Amino acid sequence: MKREDIAKRIAEELLNDNVLDEQNFNYDTDAILQHVQDTVLSHIKDYSLLAGTIF
């Protein structure tokens, strides 16, 4: 899974759980999702993301 996909999933989940204040974005869902994605990506840019199972 790409970083962008992870950020998008986080943004969508926050929006669906009514955690985000849509009023601050004039109820522009695309804008608020993009803002959250950009914020998440900026915070994980210096990290390596690994997926797998440890035995």
Side-chain angles (χ1 to χ4, degrees):
M1 183 176 279
K2 295 189 301 184
R3 292 173 188 267
E4 292 80 10
D5 296 335
I6 294 169
K8 182 178 180 182
R9 184 177 281 179
I10 291 169
E12 289 170 345
E13 189 170 320
L14 290 172
L15 184 64
N16 292 336
D17 289 345
N18 296 315
V19 175
L20 305 175
D21 187 359
E22 294 176 87
Q23 184 176 0
N24 286 337
F25 287 83
N26 294 320
Y27 299 94
D28 184 348
T29 303
D30 292 334
I32 197 167
L33 288 174
Q34 189 62 52
H35 178 74
V36 173
Q37 289 175 57
D38 293 344
T39 302
V40 170
L41 288 172
S42 73
H43 287 281
I44 65 173
K45 68 180 178 179
D46 296 327
Y47 292 91
S48 296
L49 303 177
L50 302 173
T53 304
I54 298 174
F55 295 99

